[in-house]
Amino acid sequence: MDRFLVEGGRKLKGTVQISGSKNACLPILVASLLTDDPFVLHRVPNLRDVRTTLKILTALGKQVSFQDGTVTIAANGKLKNKLPYELVKQMRASFWVAGPLLARFKAAEIPLPGGCALGARPVDIHLRGFERLGARCVMEKGNVLLSAKALHPAKITLRFPSVGATQNLMMCACLIPGETILENVAKEPEIDDLAAVLSKMGAVVFADGKGRLVIQGKSQLRGMEHTVVADRIESGSYMLAAAATRSDVRVEGCVPEHNSILLDYMEEAGVPLEIGPNYVHIKPYDTPIKPLRIKTAPYPGFATDLQAPWMTFMTLATGAAEVDEDIFENRFMHAPELVRMGADITTEKSIARINGVKSLSGAHVMASDLRGGFALLIAGLCANGTTEIERVYHIDRGYENPEGKLNALGAKVTRYNPDKDDF
Ligand code: UD1
C-alpha cells in the first residue's frame, strides 16, 4: 500500500489549480442511470471514488469512457438493477444508485454501503423518502430491497438535511411525473450542481435556498453535457495547508463564496488573505494564530469535511481552541495521530480541545479516513523533520494528485510503496 514521505518545514509558494468537486461528481455520474441517452461530464477529477463510480455504472450495464477529465456515458444494452457488494463496500455514495434504479425499474437490490468509517452512517432518511414515493423497502441479508407497483409524487420532510438522501430522492422524483416537494433538504453547492444537471435532463427543479426543493418530474429524461463545479473541500484543504505553513499560495479555480465561513474563520485567526472572483490568495504572516471555537454544521455552516484540516491548523495556535463535530460521530481519528506529531489534543464525545503548541515534529502516522488523511499531510508539511503517512489510499479517494499539486508549490512529498522495490 502506498505511503507518503513528507519533508516538513518548507514554505509553499505559487498557484494551485482546484479540481472538479468529487461530491458533486458522484451523484451526477449516477444520474446518468435515469436515461439511455449519451451523458457527458467535464472537469471530472481522477480519483479513486470516481473510478469506483464508473465501475459501478459499468457493472450496471453502461458503457463508460474517462479521458482528460471528461467522462462519456452511453447505453450498452439492457441496464441491471442489482449491485455487487464488492463495489458498494468501497464507497458509501454507491448507495446513491438506489434512487435512479428504483425510478427506472420499480425494483432495485443494493447492499448497505461502506465508505469512511465515520461511526454509524444509516440510510434511514433515504429509505423513508422512497417509502413516501410509494416504494416498499426491506432489508435482507445485508441488502436493501426496493420495490413498488407504482411510484407517485409526494411531499416529504427530511428529519435531517442529509446530503445523500436529498440527492437520492431528487433523482428518483425527477423520473416520477408530477410535483414532488422535498422539505428540510441539504443546501450544499453539490445539490445545486445536481439540480442543474437534472434540469438539463428535462425535469424542472427549483431550490428556494431555504431548504425546499420543488421538482416537476417527467416520464422520460434526456442526456446532457455539464461541467462540474469546483471542489470546495479541496479548495479549503489547500487554503488551510497554506495558512498552517504560513505560506504564499493562490488557490485558483475555486468558488470563494462556497468557503465563506472557512474564510471568515481564517481571517479571524489572523491569516491575511485576498479574495477574488475565482481565487483566494493566502498571504504569508508571522503574527500568532488566534485559537477559535468552531462547530461543524450543514452548509452554509462549517463543513465537517474541513474539520480535520482545520484542526491541524489550530494545533499551532497560541492558546486553547475547540472543535465541536456535530455531523458525524467518530470523526476524530486524526486527533491521536496529530498527538503523535506533538499536538496537544484531547477528545470527549463530539468535542476536541486543542492546546496550541509551538511546533509539530515528524512521525510515523496512519491515515484512517479521507479528510483526516489530508490533515496529516498538512501536519507533515508544518512539522520539523520527516513524516511518514501510511494508508494513502484514503487520501486518494478524494484528492486528485495531492503530491503533484503540493510539490509544484515547493513541498517535498514522495509517494512510495514499501511492498515494491521501487524506492
Ligand atoms: C456527504 C458527503 C460527505 C460529507 C457529508 C456531510 C458525498 C459523497 N459525501 O455524505 O463528504 O461529509 O455529506 O456534509 O457527498 N444520516 C442518517 N440517516 C441517513 C443519512 C444520513 O442518520 O439516511 C446521518 C449520517 O449518519 C451523518 C449525517 O446524517 O451523521 C450527515 O450525513 P449525510 O449528509 O447524509 O452525508 P453523506 O451524504 O453520506
Side-chain angles (χ1 to χ4, degrees), residues 401-419:
N401 188 19
E403 69 271 40
K405 289 190 182 188
L406 287 169
N407 290 344
L409 294 172
K412 198 156 180 228
V413 179
T414 314
R415 182 185 290 262
Y416 85 106
N417 185 336
D419 308 323

Side-chain angles (χ1 to χ4, degrees), residues 207-384:
D208 73 352
K210 295 184 194 136
R212 186 171 206 253
L213 274 173
V214 182
I215 297 168
Q216 300 290 341
K218 297 287 150 80
S219 57
Q220 229 179 347
L221 296 171
R222 53 178 180 264
M224 61 94 230
E225 187 164 353
H226 184 74
T227 301
V228 177
V229 67
D231 195 314
R232 67 194 166 95
I233 306 300
E234 190 199 26
S235 311
S237 301
Y238 282 99
M239 290 170 197
L240 286 167
T245 52
R246 298 172 175 272
S247 294
D248 186 357
V249 175
R250 192 173 150 115
V251 177
E252 206 167 75
C254 59
V255 183
E257 194 191 314
H258 292 168
N259 289 109
S260 287
I261 296 263
L262 172 70
L263 292 170
D264 285 352
Y265 277 122
M266 282 172 70
E267 280 191 307
E268 200 184 332
V271 181
L273 43 91
E274 179 197 329
I275 303 175
N278 70 338
Y279 70 87
V280 174
H281 189 160
I282 312 293
K283 309 271 179 72
Y285 61 103
D286 52 21
T287 47
I289 298 170
K290 185 178 164 195
L292 297 175
R293 295 172 74 164
I294 63 124
K295 180 176 181 152
T296 63
Y299 188 85
F302 195 102
T304 170
D305 286 353
L306 288 172
Q307 176 261 105
W310 173 266
M311 192 185 289
T312 301
F313 174 48
M314 281 292 113
T315 63
L316 296 167
T318 304
E322 198 174 283
V323 167
D324 184 351
E325 172 52 66
D326 224 30
I327 303 289
F328 288 110
E329 39 178 282
N330 201 14
R331 202 171 196 180
F332 287 145
M333 289 174 293
H334 47 283
E337 301 301 299
L338 290 172
V339 169
R340 306 187 70 245
M341 298 180 70
D344 178 355
I345 306 171
T346 50
T347 58
E348 195 190 340
K349 296 187 178 153
S350 72
I351 307 281
R353 292 188 181 84
I354 306 131
N355 286 313
V357 292
K358 283 216 160 58
S359 61
L360 297 173
S361 47
H364 193 138
V365 292
M366 177 138 35
S368 42
D369 70 287
L370 164 54
R371 308 301 171 185
F374 202 86
L376 298 179
L377 195 43
I378 299 177
L381 297 172
C382 298
N384 297 320

Side-chain angles (χ1 to χ4, degrees), residues 22-23 26 92-93 96 120-126 159-165 167 188 232 304-305 327-329 331 371:
K22 167 183 92 78
N23 286 353
L26 304 184
R92 177 174 161 84
W96 291 202
R121 294 179 75 176
V123 288
D124 59 301
I125 305 172
H126 303 237
R159 73 162 170 81
F160 176 85
S162 152
V163 176
Q167 293 165 332
E188 271 69 359
R232 67 194 166 95
T304 170
D305 286 353
I327 303 289
F328 288 110
E329 39 178 282
R331 202 171 196 180
R371 308 301 171 185

Side-chain angles (χ1 to χ4, degrees), residues 11-225:
K11 294 277 181 232
L12 309 179
K13 191 166 175 51
T15 297
V16 59
Q17 292 291 341
I18 295 308
S19 301
S21 160
K22 167 183 92 78
N23 286 353
C25 248
L26 304 184
I28 292 176
L29 289 169
V30 163
S32 67
L33 294 168
L34 291 165
T35 180
D36 285 334
D37 288 354
F39 199 90
V40 183
L41 199 57
H42 304 291
R43 203 186 186 188
V44 179
N46 190 357
L47 301 172
R48 210 159 66 92
D49 275 7
V50 166
R51 293 192 297 271
T52 303
T53 305
L54 298 181
K55 280 187 206 159
I56 286 173
L57 295 177
T58 309
L60 289 171
K62 288 280 190 185
Q63 192 172 51
V64 172
S65 87
F66 185 16
Q67 224 175 0
D68 302 330
T70 293
V71 169
T72 308
I73 303 169
N76 186 22
K78 213 170 163 307
L79 270 188
K80 299 189 188 74
N81 64 347
K82 278 188 194 173
L83 206 55
Y85 177 65
E86 268 321 296
L87 289 171
V88 178
K89 74 175 185 196
Q90 295 175 29
M91 189 184 67
R92 177 174 161 84
S94 49
F95 192 70
W96 291 202
V97 302
L101 291 181
L102 174 64
R104 281 204 75 175
F105 295 101
K106 313 286 175 286
E109 185 177 327
I110 324 280
L112 275 174
C116 283
L118 304 177
R121 294 179 75 176
V123 288
D124 59 301
I125 305 172
H126 303 237
L127 300 184
R128 290 300 79 78
F130 293 145
E131 283 173 349
R132 295 297 310 277
L133 293 170
R136 191 166 168 262
C137 308
V138 211
M139 302 286 240
E140 206 178 272
K141 296 181 187 159
N143 293 332
V144 179
L145 308 185
L146 301 170
S147 58
K149 280 202 181 79
L151 294 167
H152 51 74
K155 186 167 179 204
I156 305 168
T157 303
L158 277 55
R159 73 162 170 81
F160 176 85
S162 152
V163 176
T166 302
Q167 293 165 332
N168 225 339
L169 295 173
M170 277 166 87
M171 291 190 280
C172 192
C174 280
L175 205 54
I176 302 173
E179 182 174 280
T180 289
I181 297 177
L182 303 176
E183 303 265 19
N184 195 29
V185 294
K187 298 192 278 287
E188 271 69 359
E190 296 78 29
I191 302 288
D192 293 338
D193 217 26
L194 178 63
V197 165
L198 293 168
S199 301
K200 286 181 184 180
M201 294 178 79
V204 181
V205 184
F206 171 73
D208 73 352
K210 295 184 194 136
R212 186 171 206 253
L213 274 173
V214 182
I215 297 168
Q216 300 290 341
K218 297 287 150 80
S219 57
Q220 229 179 347
L221 296 171
R222 53 178 180 264
M224 61 94 230
E225 187 164 353

